[in-house]
Amino acid sequence: MDEANEQREQRLKKLEELRQAGIEPFGQRFEATDHAAEILGCYRETSKEDLDAHPVSFVIAGRIVALRDFGKAAFAHLQDSSGKIQVYFRKDLIAEHYAIVKKLDIGDIVGIKGRLFRTRTQELTLEVEDFTLLTKSLRPLPEKWHGLKDIETRYRQRYVDLIVNPEVRRTFETRSAVMKALRDFFEAHGFIEVETPMMHQIPGGATARPFKTHHNALDLDLYLRIAPELYLKRLLVGGYERIYELNKNFRNEGISTKHNPEFTMLEFYMAYKDYTFLMEFTEEIFSFIANKTLGTLNVPYGDTVIDLTPPWKRLPMLDALREKGLPDDAVADFDKALAWARERNIEIEKGASHARVLDEIFKEIVEPGLVQPTFIIDYPVELSPLAKRKRDNPALVERFELFIASREIANAFSELNDPIDQEERFLRQVEAREQGDEEAQHMDEDFVRALQYGMPPAAGEGIGIDRLVMLLTNCFSIRDVILFPQLKPEQ
């Protein structure tokens, strides 16, 4: 029997002994009125003499994460949602209850009433006056949890990861703060939050491969949404001027440090604005969120510091390619662009258009250098079937992508509101699908019909929340900021 199984057997034995003694090892409601961090914070400067002269008791509940038994006394560290505090069990003080202390293990959850004092080493400690076993832990916590060899186990057993790694809990507390700050920001700017369908008859709003499901009652194939865009624009047609949705998208694509098939997006739309307005508005959003969650616009990330102070660099996509060495003739000619890419072993899918080739080259030679916040603007129209054309160059659209730390973190454009142009672009997307492009968009006749009723000039943007949280928490894998990321089945 290995050590872990032996420990589980010992815990099961203690469980039975507790029950035989009339003690329920999986307890009931417990009214904890205090938290470890608050106690330590309030009494940080209080002397031993003051605590002895003016005794004060607290009631807390938490998990035992360290335990030292000295026969007639025991020290433990109790961890609650706020942090850890030392507790002290004395046999002469809790009398017959001390027999239960002998049955405690690391991982058990207990409720404690105790008097605060300082030990000889001046550590603030709760001397236990009474306690209740609330949950008996039947599996030992891992002693060595850090390191790459355990990384998949940490993601798979996030519940244990959260127990033993306080920095992981802080990451998800920051994520929660980011979500709240975003809602506060948009409410302050006159937006309303809406919810649109998660299951679509026609997947649209982005170039991506969808997940497919089936509705039995209607005998209808449906798709998990790849983006809420087309429904949000229908609401612009309906008269809403400032709307946002903070919710999940699903894309049936690869898994990597940057991608999870289920991810969180913020999408928002503003009537009567364009993409130039959104650039300044985006700088305002990110500045607000960084200040609200971190208290600074200088964000440590790996070996560098990301400076979010506006204004940020703006660079046309084709100029960015030229700056990195792509010749003008390759920018202008499909065959020369394809040859240039293949000479450098840049993978290009069969049947890719000129714009797609340029996009793949961009990902290889431009993206890695976009560390500080940079708006890449003015994309080829083929890459943006829902964006408005530039008046001075109809081959391009009024679009930007925001890159920070070599990752795309936001995508925005002046919205196409010409129903005739939109229908023609959908038809070209249908042709691309018929030629094998599985990510090309479908024809959505109802959306075209909505545009025919009239959608005001508008600007819209999507921000990847997972990637934003990665930036603000100094994480380099999307799995580090998703509580339960998608993984292969456990063997």
Side-chain angles (χ1 to χ4, degrees):
M1 183 183 297
D2 63 37
E3 183 179 351
N5 283 329
E6 185 177 344
Q7 288 190 49
R8 284 198 291 272
E9 288 296 325
Q10 292 172 355
R11 289 175 182 231
L12 286 169
K13 182 181 178 182
K14 290 179 181 179
L15 178 77
E16 185 59 31
E17 291 170 350
L18 286 165
R19 282 182 166 152
Q20 289 176 1
I23 298 164
E24 174 52 51
F26 302 101
Q28 304 296 325
R29 172 174 171 175
F30 183 85
E31 296 293 342
T33 56
D34 306 289
H35 285 90
E38 295 170 2
I39 297 170
L40 297 177
C42 288
Y43 291 88
R44 182 182 296 110
E45 305 299 329
T46 308
S47 68
K48 175 179 173 61
E49 291 72 24
D50 282 348
L51 288 172
D52 291 341
H54 305 285
V56 57
S57 293
F58 299 94
V59 181
I60 67 171
R63 187 184 298 274
I64 295 172
V65 293
L67 182 62
R68 293 169 292 156
D69 188 352
F70 297 103
K72 295 184 179 181
F75 282 95
H77 278 104
L78 196 71
Q79 178 174 287
D80 62 16
S81 62
S82 71
K84 291 189 292 188
I85 189 169
Q86 183 167 261
V87 298
Y88 177 50
F89 298 92
R90 279 176 44 198
K91 184 175 181 180
D92 61 345
L93 185 60
I94 58 176
E96 68 275 5
H97 273 65
Y98 197 78
I100 304 175
V101 176
K102 294 295 185 179
K103 306 297 182 186
L104 294 180
D105 290 295
I106 291 175
D108 290 355
I109 299 173
V110 296
I112 285 175
K113 178 183 178 183
R115 178 186 70 85
L116 191 64
F117 76 105
R118 286 190 183 274
T119 64
R120 292 177 182 176
T121 60
Q122 296 302 306
E123 182 172 356
L124 283 171
T125 303
L126 284 177
E127 183 178 58
V128 178
E129 298 169 322
D130 192 16
F131 80 99
T132 304
L133 176 60
L134 299 174
T135 302
K136 183 66 184 170
S137 172
L138 301 182
R139 282 181 178 265
L141 294 175
E143 294 181 8
K144 296 180 180 178
W145 193 254
H146 300 278
L148 289 176
K149 66 180 181 179
D150 295 313
I151 196 73
E152 185 170 325
T153 305
R154 287 180 52 206
Y155 296 145
R156 196 178 297 282
Q157 298 180 28
R158 181 69 85 186
Y159 39 88
V160 182
D161 192 23
L162 291 166
I163 294 170
V164 300
N165 288 323
E167 68 277 8
V168 174
R169 288 203 307 279
R170 287 193 291 271
T171 292
F172 290 102
E173 288 161 6
T174 299
R175 182 183 177 109
S176 178
V178 167
M179 302 286 269
K180 182 181 185 304
L182 283 167
R183 286 188 164 98
D184 289 346
F185 179 90
F186 281 94
E187 182 179 346
H189 285 78
F191 285 75
I192 65 166
E193 184 174 7
V194 299
E195 293 178 289
T196 60
M198 287 289 183
M199 293 192 293
H200 294 180
Q201 292 187 36
I202 300 172
T207 53
R209 185 181 303 172
F211 287 94
K212 188 176 182 179
T213 187
H214 187 79
H215 190 287
N216 291 331
L218 295 177
D219 191 21
L220 179 69
D221 286 339
L222 294 170
Y223 302 88
L224 295 183
R225 77 173 184 196
I226 55 178
E229 178 169 342
L230 301 187
Y231 282 95
L232 292 171
K233 288 181 181 177
R234 286 172 168 93
L235 297 180
L236 292 177
V237 173
Y240 289 109
E241 295 183 1
R242 295 192 174 201
I243 53 175
Y244 77 95
E245 183 166 9
L246 190 52
N247 222 320
K248 297 288 187 182
N249 290 347
F250 306 86
R251 297 183 184 176
N252 198 353
E253 299 168 346
I255 296 174
S256 71
T257 57
K258 297 180 182 180
H259 299 95
N260 192 67
E262 174 185 351
F263 60 98
T264 304
M265 284 286 291
L266 164 72
E267 282 210 22
F268 65 93
Y269 291 82
M270 306 177 73
Y272 313 115
K273 302 297 184 183
D274 66 4
Y275 80 136
T276 57
F277 174 87
L278 279 192
M279 282 185 252
E280 293 184 5
F281 194 67
T282 301
E283 292 170 346
E284 189 178 349
I285 294 170
F286 277 66
S287 298
F288 178 86
I289 300 302
N291 274 322
K292 193 79 170 177
T293 57
L294 303 182
T296 180
L297 296 183
N298 293 307
V299 180
Y301 197 74
D303 296 329
T304 189
V305 174
I306 304 297
D307 185 1
L308 296 178
T309 306
W312 301 339
K313 183 178 180 180
R314 304 179 184 187
L315 180 63
M317 179 195 182
L318 300 183
D319 288 352
L321 287 167
R322 294 185 182 99
E323 284 187 5
K324 290 297 181 179
L326 186 68
D328 283 340
D329 57 0
V331 172
D333 182 82
F334 167 73
D335 290 329
K336 290 179 179 177
L338 184 60
W340 196 92
R342 286 177 172 168
E343 286 172 5
R344 288 154 183 80
N345 297 316
I346 298 174
E347 187 174 341
I348 304 295
E349 288 189 6
K350 185 178 179 180
S353 65
H354 185 203
R356 291 285 180 196
V357 173
L358 294 178
D359 192 39
E360 293 301 325
I361 294 173
F362 178 90
K363 291 175 184 176
E364 290 291 327
I365 69 172
V366 179
E367 279 191 24
L370 301 176
V371 177
Q372 295 299 327
T374 304
F375 291 114
I376 298 296
I377 66 174
D378 302 345
Y379 283 72
V381 66
E382 184 185 332
L383 296 177
S384 312
L386 300 168
K388 182 168 287 189
R389 296 177 190 266
K390 288 177 65 67
R391 289 189 179 184
D392 58 352
N393 188 348
L396 303 177
V397 293
E398 295 184 353
R399 173 189 176 189
F400 71 75
E401 288 185 303
L402 170 62
F403 289 86
I404 305 176
S406 306
R407 282 192 294 266
E408 177 208 342
I409 203 165
N411 181 27
F413 33 85
S414 303
E415 303 297 338
L416 177 61
N417 62 340
D418 178 344
I420 299 171
D421 190 359
Q422 182 65 82
E423 185 173 21
E424 290 173 352
R425 294 200 212 175
F426 274 150
L427 289 171
R428 285 194 289 274
Q429 289 285 301
V430 170
E431 291 175 5
R433 288 190 64 80
E434 291 172 350
Q435 294 171 7
D437 185 352
E438 295 184 3
E439 294 187 352
Q441 298 200 31
H442 296 247
M443 167 62 76
D444 190 333
E445 294 179 355
D446 179 70
F447 179 66
V448 174
R449 178 171 58 191
L451 291 184
Q452 289 170 350
Y453 281 97
M455 186 181 88
E461 181 169 346
I463 298 175
I465 300 304
D466 307 307
R467 294 183 180 183
L468 173 59
V469 176
M470 287 170 65
L471 173 67
L472 297 177
T473 57
N474 202 8
C475 290
F476 291 84
S477 171
I478 197 170
R479 295 180 179 185
D480 289 330
V481 299
I482 296 176
L483 278 168
F484 300 101
Q486 191 64 47
L487 300 168
K488 292 179 181 179
E490 188 172 6
Q491 297 300 316

